[in-house]
Short mmCIF file of all heavy atoms in Angstrom, two decimals:
data_model
loop_
_atom_site.label_atom_id
_atom_site.label_comp_id
_atom_site.label_asym_id
_atom_site.label_seq_id
_atom_site.Cartn_x
_atom_site.Cartn_y
_atom_site.Cartn_z
N MET H 95 95.54 -129.20 21.59
CA MET H 95 96.13 -128.05 22.29
C MET H 95 96.45 -126.97 21.24
O MET H 95 96.99 -127.25 20.19
CB MET H 95 97.40 -128.50 23.02
CG MET H 95 97.97 -127.45 23.94
SD MET H 95 99.43 -127.97 24.86
CE MET H 95 98.75 -129.10 26.05
N SER H 96 96.14 -125.73 21.56
CA SER H 96 96.34 -124.64 20.61
C SER H 96 97.82 -124.26 20.54
O SER H 96 98.63 -124.62 21.38
CB SER H 96 95.53 -123.42 21.02
OG SER H 96 96.12 -122.80 22.14
N GLU H 97 98.14 -123.53 19.51
CA GLU H 97 99.52 -123.05 19.33
C GLU H 97 99.95 -122.16 20.50
O GLU H 97 101.08 -122.25 20.98
CB GLU H 97 99.64 -122.29 18.01
CG GLU H 97 101.06 -121.93 17.67
CD GLU H 97 101.18 -121.34 16.28
OE1 GLU H 97 100.32 -121.60 15.43
OE2 GLU H 97 102.16 -120.61 16.07
N LEU H 98 99.03 -121.33 20.97
CA LEU H 98 99.34 -120.46 22.11
C LEU H 98 99.63 -121.29 23.37
O LEU H 98 100.57 -121.00 24.10
CB LEU H 98 98.18 -119.50 22.36
CG LEU H 98 98.34 -118.54 23.53
CD1 LEU H 98 99.60 -117.69 23.36
CD2 LEU H 98 97.12 -117.67 23.69
N GLU H 99 98.83 -122.32 23.59
CA GLU H 99 99.06 -123.19 24.76
C GLU H 99 100.40 -123.92 24.65
O GLU H 99 101.12 -124.06 25.63
CB GLU H 99 97.92 -124.19 24.91
CG GLU H 99 96.62 -123.56 25.36
CD GLU H 99 95.44 -124.51 25.28
OE1 GLU H 99 95.37 -125.30 24.31
OE2 GLU H 99 94.60 -124.46 26.19
N ASN H 100 100.73 -124.36 23.46
CA ASN H 100 102.04 -125.02 23.23
C ASN H 100 103.18 -124.06 23.53
O ASN H 100 104.16 -124.41 24.18
CB ASN H 100 102.15 -125.54 21.80
CG ASN H 100 101.34 -126.79 21.57
OD1 ASN H 100 101.13 -127.58 22.48
ND2 ASN H 100 100.88 -126.96 20.34
N TRP H 101 103.06 -122.83 23.02
CA TRP H 101 104.09 -121.83 23.25
C TRP H 101 104.25 -121.55 24.74
O TRP H 101 105.35 -121.51 25.26
CB TRP H 101 103.72 -120.54 22.51
CG TRP H 101 104.64 -119.41 22.80
CD1 TRP H 101 105.84 -119.15 22.20
CD2 TRP H 101 104.46 -118.38 23.78
NE1 TRP H 101 106.41 -118.03 22.74
CE2 TRP H 101 105.59 -117.54 23.73
CE3 TRP H 101 103.47 -118.09 24.70
CZ2 TRP H 101 105.73 -116.43 24.55
CZ3 TRP H 101 103.61 -117.00 25.51
CH2 TRP H 101 104.73 -116.18 25.44
N LYS H 102 103.11 -121.38 25.42
CA LYS H 102 103.13 -121.10 26.86
C LYS H 102 103.80 -122.24 27.62
O LYS H 102 104.62 -122.01 28.51
CB LYS H 102 101.71 -120.88 27.36
CG LYS H 102 101.63 -120.50 28.82
CD LYS H 102 100.18 -120.20 29.22
CE LYS H 102 100.11 -119.74 30.64
NZ LYS H 102 99.80 -120.77 31.56
N GLN H 103 103.48 -123.46 27.28
CA GLN H 103 104.06 -124.62 27.96
C GLN H 103 105.58 -124.68 27.73
O GLN H 103 106.34 -124.95 28.65
CB GLN H 103 103.40 -125.89 27.47
CG GLN H 103 103.81 -127.12 28.23
CD GLN H 103 103.03 -128.35 27.79
OE1 GLN H 103 102.50 -128.41 26.68
NE2 GLN H 103 102.97 -129.34 28.64
N ARG H 104 106.02 -124.39 26.51
CA ARG H 104 107.47 -124.39 26.21
C ARG H 104 108.18 -123.30 27.02
O ARG H 104 109.24 -123.53 27.59
CB ARG H 104 107.71 -124.18 24.72
CG ARG H 104 107.45 -125.39 23.87
CD ARG H 104 108.00 -125.21 22.46
NE ARG H 104 107.60 -123.97 21.82
CZ ARG H 104 106.50 -123.80 21.09
NH1 ARG H 104 105.66 -124.78 20.91
NH2 ARG H 104 106.23 -122.62 20.54
N ARG H 105 107.59 -122.11 27.04
CA ARG H 105 108.20 -120.99 27.77
C ARG H 105 108.28 -121.27 29.27
O ARG H 105 109.29 -121.01 29.90
CB ARG H 105 107.41 -119.69 27.53
CG ARG H 105 107.46 -119.19 26.11
CD ARG H 105 108.80 -118.65 25.73
NE ARG H 105 109.11 -117.51 26.57
CZ ARG H 105 110.30 -117.01 26.76
NH1 ARG H 105 111.32 -117.54 26.16
NH2 ARG H 105 110.50 -116.00 27.55
N GLU H 106 107.22 -121.79 29.83
CA GLU H 106 107.22 -122.09 31.27
C GLU H 106 108.23 -123.18 31.58
O GLU H 106 108.89 -123.14 32.62
CB GLU H 106 105.82 -122.49 31.72
CG GLU H 106 104.86 -121.32 31.76
CD GLU H 106 103.43 -121.73 32.04
OE1 GLU H 106 103.11 -122.94 31.99
OE2 GLU H 106 102.61 -120.83 32.29
N GLY H 107 108.36 -124.15 30.69
CA GLY H 107 109.33 -125.22 30.89
C GLY H 107 110.76 -124.69 30.87
O GLY H 107 111.59 -125.08 31.69
N GLU H 108 111.06 -123.77 29.97
CA GLU H 108 112.40 -123.18 29.90
C GLU H 108 112.71 -122.43 31.18
O GLU H 108 113.81 -122.53 31.73
CB GLU H 108 112.50 -122.23 28.70
CG GLU H 108 112.49 -122.93 27.36
CD GLU H 108 112.35 -121.95 26.21
OE1 GLU H 108 112.61 -120.74 26.41
OE2 GLU H 108 111.98 -122.38 25.11
N SER H 109 111.76 -121.66 31.65
CA SER H 109 111.96 -120.88 32.87
C SER H 109 112.20 -121.80 34.06
O SER H 109 113.09 -121.55 34.88
CB SER H 109 110.73 -120.00 33.11
OG SER H 109 110.87 -119.27 34.29
N LEU H 110 111.43 -122.86 34.16
CA LEU H 110 111.59 -123.80 35.26
C LEU H 110 112.96 -124.48 35.19
O LEU H 110 113.63 -124.61 36.20
CB LEU H 110 110.47 -124.85 35.22
CG LEU H 110 110.51 -125.93 36.30
CD1 LEU H 110 110.44 -125.28 37.68
CD2 LEU H 110 109.36 -126.91 36.11
N ARG H 111 113.40 -124.86 34.01
CA ARG H 111 114.72 -125.49 33.87
C ARG H 111 115.83 -124.54 34.29
O ARG H 111 116.79 -124.93 34.94
CB ARG H 111 114.94 -125.96 32.42
CG ARG H 111 114.29 -127.29 32.11
CD ARG H 111 114.75 -127.83 30.77
NE ARG H 111 114.41 -126.96 29.66
CZ ARG H 111 113.22 -126.90 29.08
NH1 ARG H 111 112.24 -127.65 29.52
NH2 ARG H 111 112.99 -126.09 28.06
N ARG H 112 115.71 -123.26 33.91
CA ARG H 112 116.73 -122.29 34.30
C ARG H 112 116.79 -122.14 35.81
O ARG H 112 117.87 -122.05 36.38
CB ARG H 112 116.46 -120.93 33.65
CG ARG H 112 117.01 -120.84 32.25
CD ARG H 112 116.89 -119.44 31.71
NE ARG H 112 115.96 -119.51 30.61
CZ ARG H 112 114.89 -118.76 30.44
NH1 ARG H 112 114.60 -117.82 31.29
NH2 ARG H 112 114.10 -118.93 29.42
N ARG H 113 115.64 -122.10 36.46
CA ARG H 113 115.61 -121.99 37.92
C ARG H 113 116.19 -123.23 38.58
O ARG H 113 116.87 -123.14 39.59
CB ARG H 113 114.18 -121.76 38.42
CG ARG H 113 113.85 -120.30 38.48
CD ARG H 113 112.50 -120.08 39.12
NE ARG H 113 111.57 -119.87 38.02
CZ ARG H 113 110.38 -120.41 37.90
NH1 ARG H 113 109.93 -121.20 38.82
NH2 ARG H 113 109.62 -120.16 36.87
N GLN H 114 115.96 -124.39 38.02
CA GLN H 114 116.49 -125.62 38.60
C GLN H 114 118.01 -125.68 38.43
O GLN H 114 118.70 -126.24 39.26
CB GLN H 114 115.84 -126.84 37.95
CG GLN H 114 114.39 -127.01 38.36
CD GLN H 114 113.69 -128.09 37.56
OE1 GLN H 114 114.10 -128.44 36.46
NE2 GLN H 114 112.60 -128.60 38.11
N ASP H 115 118.53 -125.11 37.35
CA ASP H 115 119.97 -125.11 37.10
C ASP H 115 120.69 -124.08 37.97
O ASP H 115 121.88 -124.21 38.21
CB ASP H 115 120.28 -124.81 35.63
CG ASP H 115 119.88 -125.96 34.72
OD1 ASP H 115 119.67 -127.08 35.23
OD2 ASP H 115 119.76 -125.73 33.50
N ALA H 116 119.98 -123.06 38.39
CA ALA H 116 120.59 -122.01 39.20
C ALA H 116 120.86 -122.54 40.61
O ALA H 116 120.19 -123.43 41.10
CB ALA H 116 119.67 -120.80 39.28
N ARG H 117 121.88 -121.97 41.23
CA ARG H 117 122.15 -122.35 42.62
C ARG H 117 122.38 -121.08 43.41
O ARG H 117 122.78 -120.06 42.88
CB ARG H 117 123.33 -123.30 42.74
CG ARG H 117 124.67 -122.72 42.39
CD ARG H 117 125.75 -123.80 42.49
NE ARG H 117 127.06 -123.22 42.39
CZ ARG H 117 127.78 -122.80 43.40
NH1 ARG H 117 127.33 -122.92 44.63
NH2 ARG H 117 128.96 -122.28 43.23
N ILE H 118 122.14 -121.17 44.69
CA ILE H 118 122.30 -120.02 45.56
C ILE H 118 123.74 -120.00 46.07
O ILE H 118 124.25 -121.01 46.56
CB ILE H 118 121.30 -120.10 46.73
CG1 ILE H 118 119.88 -120.02 46.18
CG2 ILE H 118 121.57 -118.99 47.73
CD1 ILE H 118 118.80 -120.21 47.22
N LEU H 119 124.38 -118.86 45.92
CA LEU H 119 125.75 -118.70 46.39
C LEU H 119 125.76 -118.35 47.87
O LEU H 119 124.90 -117.61 48.34
CB LEU H 119 126.46 -117.59 45.62
CG LEU H 119 126.62 -117.79 44.12
CD1 LEU H 119 127.25 -116.54 43.51
CD2 LEU H 119 127.44 -119.01 43.81
N SER H 120 126.77 -118.85 48.55
CA SER H 120 126.94 -118.43 49.94
C SER H 120 127.48 -117.00 49.93
O SER H 120 127.92 -116.48 48.90
CB SER H 120 127.92 -119.35 50.66
OG SER H 120 129.23 -119.15 50.17
N GLU H 121 127.46 -116.37 51.08
CA GLU H 121 127.98 -115.00 51.17
C GLU H 121 129.45 -114.95 50.77
O GLU H 121 129.88 -114.04 50.07
CB GLU H 121 127.79 -114.48 52.59
CG GLU H 121 128.07 -113.00 52.73
CD GLU H 121 127.71 -112.46 54.11
OE1 GLU H 121 126.77 -112.98 54.73
OE2 GLU H 121 128.39 -111.51 54.53
N ASP H 122 130.23 -115.94 51.19
CA ASP H 122 131.65 -115.99 50.84
C ASP H 122 131.85 -116.19 49.34
O ASP H 122 132.71 -115.55 48.72
CB ASP H 122 132.37 -117.10 51.60
CG ASP H 122 132.60 -116.78 53.06
OD1 ASP H 122 132.56 -115.58 53.42
OD2 ASP H 122 132.81 -117.72 53.85
N GLU H 123 131.06 -117.08 48.74
CA GLU H 123 131.17 -117.32 47.29
C GLU H 123 130.83 -116.06 46.51
O GLU H 123 131.51 -115.71 45.54
CB GLU H 123 130.26 -118.47 46.87
CG GLU H 123 130.72 -119.83 47.34
CD GLU H 123 129.70 -120.92 47.05
OE1 GLU H 123 128.50 -120.68 47.26
OE2 GLU H 123 130.13 -122.00 46.62
N LEU H 124 129.78 -115.37 46.93
CA LEU H 124 129.39 -114.15 46.25
C LEU H 124 130.45 -113.07 46.42
O LEU H 124 130.82 -112.39 45.45
CB LEU H 124 128.06 -113.65 46.80
CG LEU H 124 127.50 -112.37 46.17
CD1 LEU H 124 127.33 -112.53 44.67
CD2 LEU H 124 126.18 -112.01 46.82
N SER H 125 130.99 -112.94 47.61
CA SER H 125 132.04 -111.96 47.86
C SER H 125 133.27 -112.25 47.00
O SER H 125 133.85 -111.34 46.41
CB SER H 125 132.40 -111.97 49.35
OG SER H 125 133.43 -111.06 49.61
N ASN H 126 133.65 -113.52 46.91
CA ASN H 126 134.80 -113.90 46.09
C ASN H 126 134.55 -113.63 44.61
O ASN H 126 135.45 -113.17 43.90
CB ASN H 126 135.15 -115.37 46.31
CG ASN H 126 135.75 -115.64 47.67
OD1 ASN H 126 136.26 -114.74 48.33
ND2 ASN H 126 135.66 -116.88 48.12
N ALA H 127 133.34 -113.92 44.15
CA ALA H 127 133.01 -113.68 42.74
C ALA H 127 133.06 -112.19 42.42
O ALA H 127 133.57 -111.79 41.37
CB ALA H 127 131.62 -114.25 42.43
N ILE H 128 132.55 -111.36 43.32
CA ILE H 128 132.59 -109.91 43.11
C ILE H 128 134.03 -109.41 43.12
O ILE H 128 134.43 -108.60 42.28
CB ILE H 128 131.74 -109.18 44.17
CG1 ILE H 128 130.26 -109.49 43.95
CG2 ILE H 128 131.99 -107.68 44.14
CD1 ILE H 128 129.35 -109.02 45.06
N ALA H 129 134.84 -109.89 44.07
CA ALA H 129 136.25 -109.47 44.15
C ALA H 129 137.00 -109.85 42.88
O ALA H 129 137.79 -109.07 42.35
CB ALA H 129 136.90 -110.08 45.38
N LYS H 130 136.74 -111.05 42.37
CA LYS H 130 137.41 -111.49 41.14
C LYS H 130 136.98 -110.63 39.96
O LYS H 130 137.81 -110.22 39.14
CB LYS H 130 137.11 -112.96 40.85
CG LYS H 130 137.87 -113.47 39.63
CD LYS H 130 137.55 -114.89 39.33
CE LYS H 130 138.28 -115.43 38.12
NZ LYS H 130 138.58 -114.53 37.05
N ALA H 131 135.68 -110.34 39.86
CA ALA H 131 135.19 -109.50 38.76
C ALA H 131 135.81 -108.11 38.83
O ALA H 131 136.21 -107.55 37.80
CB ALA H 131 133.67 -109.42 38.81
N GLN H 132 135.94 -107.56 40.03
CA GLN H 132 136.55 -106.24 40.18
C GLN H 132 138.04 -106.28 39.80
O GLN H 132 138.53 -105.37 39.14
CB GLN H 132 136.39 -105.74 41.61
CG GLN H 132 134.98 -105.34 41.94
CD GLN H 132 134.80 -104.96 43.40
OE1 GLN H 132 135.49 -105.48 44.28
NE2 GLN H 132 133.88 -104.05 43.67
N ALA H 133 138.74 -107.33 40.22
CA ALA H 133 140.16 -107.45 39.89
C ALA H 133 140.35 -107.60 38.39
O ALA H 133 141.25 -106.98 37.80
CB ALA H 133 140.77 -108.64 40.63
N ASP H 134 139.50 -108.41 37.75
CA ASP H 134 139.58 -108.57 36.30
C ASP H 134 139.32 -107.26 35.58
O ASP H 134 140.03 -106.90 34.62
CB ASP H 134 138.57 -109.62 35.82
CG ASP H 134 138.94 -111.03 36.26
OD1 ASP H 134 140.06 -111.26 36.73
OD2 ASP H 134 138.06 -111.92 36.14
N LEU H 135 138.34 -106.50 36.05
CA LEU H 135 138.04 -105.21 35.44
C LEU H 135 139.21 -104.24 35.63
O LEU H 135 139.59 -103.53 34.70
CB LEU H 135 136.76 -104.63 36.05
CG LEU H 135 136.30 -103.28 35.50
CD1 LEU H 135 136.06 -103.37 33.99
CD2 LEU H 135 135.08 -102.80 36.22
N LEU H 136 139.79 -104.22 36.81
CA LEU H 136 140.94 -103.35 37.07
C LEU H 136 142.10 -103.72 36.15
O LEU H 136 142.77 -102.83 35.62
CB LEU H 136 141.35 -103.45 38.53
CG LEU H 136 142.52 -102.56 38.96
CD1 LEU H 136 142.21 -101.09 38.70
CD2 LEU H 136 142.84 -102.79 40.43
N ASP H 137 142.34 -105.00 35.96
CA ASP H 137 143.39 -105.44 35.03
C ASP H 137 143.14 -104.93 33.61
O ASP H 137 144.06 -104.43 32.95
CB ASP H 137 143.49 -106.97 35.00
CG ASP H 137 144.07 -107.56 36.27
OD1 ASP H 137 144.68 -106.81 37.07
OD2 ASP H 137 143.91 -108.78 36.48
N GLN H 138 141.89 -105.01 33.17
CA GLN H 138 141.55 -104.54 31.83
C GLN H 138 141.73 -103.02 31.70
O GLN H 138 142.24 -102.53 30.70
CB GLN H 138 140.12 -104.92 31.48
CG GLN H 138 139.92 -106.41 31.30
CD GLN H 138 138.46 -106.77 31.07
OE1 GLN H 138 137.61 -105.91 30.86
NE2 GLN H 138 138.17 -108.05 31.11
N VAL H 139 141.31 -102.30 32.71
CA VAL H 139 141.44 -100.84 32.69
C VAL H 139 142.92 -100.46 32.72
O VAL H 139 143.36 -99.56 31.98
CB VAL H 139 140.67 -100.20 33.88
CG1 VAL H 139 141.03 -98.73 34.03
CG2 VAL H 139 139.18 -100.40 33.71
N THR H 140 143.70 -101.14 33.54
CA THR H 140 145.14 -100.84 33.63
C THR H 140 145.81 -101.07 32.28
O THR H 140 146.64 -100.25 31.84
CB THR H 140 145.81 -101.73 34.71
OG1 THR H 140 145.16 -101.46 35.97
CG2 THR H 140 147.28 -101.45 34.83
N LEU H 141 145.46 -102.16 31.61
CA LEU H 141 146.03 -102.43 30.28
C LEU H 141 145.63 -101.36 29.27
O LEU H 141 146.42 -100.98 28.41
CB LEU H 141 145.61 -103.80 29.78
CG LEU H 141 146.25 -105.00 30.46
CD1 LEU H 141 145.60 -106.31 29.97
CD2 LEU H 141 147.74 -105.03 30.20
N ALA H 142 144.41 -100.88 29.38
CA ALA H 142 143.91 -99.87 28.44
C ALA H 142 144.60 -98.52 28.64
O ALA H 142 144.73 -97.73 27.71
CB ALA H 142 142.40 -99.72 28.59
N LEU H 143 145.03 -98.26 29.89
CA LEU H 143 145.67 -96.97 30.15
C LEU H 143 147.11 -97.04 29.73
O LEU H 143 147.79 -96.20 29.41
CB LEU H 143 145.57 -96.63 31.64
CG LEU H 143 144.16 -96.40 32.16
CD1 LEU H 143 144.18 -96.17 33.68
CD2 LEU H 143 143.50 -95.21 31.47
#
C-alpha cells in the first residue's frame, strides 16, 4: 500500500470515528445548550463592563 493510500485510510478512519462519537441533540437539549451559552456570555460581558 502506498504512502498516499495509508494517509487516506487514516484520515477516513478519523472522520468516521468523529461521526460515531457525535450524537444528535433533541430540540430541547439544543435550546438549553444555546441558552446556557448565551447566559455564560452575558456573565462574561457583565464582568468586563
Side-chain angles (χ1 to χ4, degrees):
M95 189 178 287
S96 74
E97 188 173 336
L98 179 58
E99 289 170 322
N100 285 331
W101 173 84
K102 183 176 184 264
Q103 187 175 22
R104 284 193 310 271
R105 294 290 298 162
E106 288 173 349
E108 290 170 18
S109 179
L110 179 60
R111 278 191 299 280
R112 276 187 246 128
R113 270 187 260 135
Q114 289 171 338
D115 290 343
R117 68 183 190 91
I118 297 175
L119 298 176
S120 70
E121 190 173 328
D122 286 340
E123 289 173 317
L124 181 57
S125 179
N126 289 339
I128 292 170
K130 184 181 180 328
Q132 288 175 329
D134 291 347
L135 181 59
L136 182 58
D137 289 344
Q138 291 175 10
V139 168
T140 301
L141 288 173
L143 295 176

